[in-house]
Amino acid sequence: MRYRQLAVGILMTVATGYVSPLLEQVQAQLINDINNNNNAFNLSSALRLNSIRPTTNGLMLSVNANPQIRIQRENNPDRLIVDLQNTSLVQELHQATVPMNRLGIKQVRVAQYSPAIARLVFDLDSSNPNSNAAWQSQYIAATKTLLLTPSNQTAQAIPINPSLPLPRPISSPRPIFSTPTVIERLSFSSTGQLVITANQPVNYQTSFDSASGTYSLIVANAKISATLQRPSLAANSPIERIRLSQVGNSVEIGIKTTAGWQVRETQRMTNQQIQLQISLNSVSPNNQTPLPNSNPVIQNPQNIGDRRRGVIFVDAGHGGRDPGAIANGIQEKDVVLQMSLKLGQALQGLGYTVYYTRTNDVEFDLEPRVALAQRVNADVFVSIHANSLDSRNSSVNGVETFHARNSTVGRELASYVQSQIISATGANNRGVKAAGFYLVTQTSMPAILVETGFVTSPTEASNLSNPNYQKQMADAIARGIDQFMRVRGR
Ligand code: ZN
């Protein structure tokens, strides 16, 4: 993951409504400028999103190469999430909002979702029929332009699989299967998603009834298998009930969650399956719903320490289908999980109450990570990551700790943690840095993101996967946090 701050700020003007051919030239110049200005900082081969511009047909993105893209649809509120993998945003685009008001989109919000993922959130206008369109991407190498356009397809969740050729707009309706789709199995995936499996491609619509807290899927032209398999739900599962009923020719699947949890559609791996993520709601300050103690989907916060000593929220980066940085046989999501668990233990040993985003290999969006920290009124938020560069830079190594720009307490916390890490591990000191990462800017408590080392450095990769080094790192971070808490009079 890398985030480089440009020395020269380049103002990006978003042309809403019309597109001048002259802008192409301006655009090209902009790319040039950014590339030139960035040379001094360009340690990495990470892709960069330089600008976003609405056009009459969609969105035009300026990128320095073709990124892998993941598109997913979410409901309540209706949004389309477009993730550019291994891509960082230029500074101007951090937390930017691009007004659209067309093509079924109200606006597009931009954020560095994780150090490795640039995320565009299309806030959809549900009253506009165009908001149901599936979106597709097309990369034009000559101009380093990525076009995002709605296809003629209307569907709930049609992901664009980056490994497949780009989908062509389909003008004819999707095939209707004359024989009913049979719902065969409900199960939890290894990453904690609820998976509904049918015997053939399944078309469905979703809705949410907030009064009963029930998320419903209506599968048209379907029936329930006589030998339906379904998981048993633990008493403390975030899913209270799953009910399947035959309503005419359709099957209705109602999923009722316990308070504070929500169901979301995620990317479909095959069209015979529906995949649902169960995650924490964004939380209103008055919501005092207790967190569940444990459940089969998301491993839970552990609340062992003395709350008066302080509450620390430990966020292991990435997880599930998002491995983070990969190199030297190491996946970031694995090493940061191990370090996060060790960090939690160390903090508990110092008397703190510790909450985790995840204690196993599950996927989490950014929003619930922040929402959970807010909800438990954490005093400190610490997100654990590992860095990467391309193979030409395998000698680059070291530790850096990020805090939100303009956050004095964040910088103070980062300084304590960084210096504890450096003195304990002897790692190369890359310093304390300000950044616009969502996690550190959207949390109200002092928040840091620790880049514990480079998986692309063979030496550091071997350290990061070594349990003793992980413990050294975790203990040092815990000491830095403890120092910070003590100085602040805890
Ligand atoms: Zn990361």
Side-chain angles (χ1 to χ4, degrees), residues 1 114-116 317-318 322-325 332-333 336 383-387 449-451:
M1 69 61 55
S114 74
H318 311 277
D322 169 18
E332 178 183 355
K333 67 174 182 177
V336 299
S383 186
I384 306 295
H385 286 256
N387 237 322
L449 188 151
V450 185
E451 288 289 353

Side-chain angles (χ1 to χ4, degrees), residues 55-59 71 103 122 133-138 146-152 160 169:
T55 69
T56 39
N57 306 322
L59 278 174
I71 299 183
L103 301 169
F122 295 15
W135 281 62
Q136 58 189 3
S137 70
Q138 186 188 358
L146 184 70
L147 298 175
L148 296 176
T149 48
S151 74
N152 295 339
I160 291 182

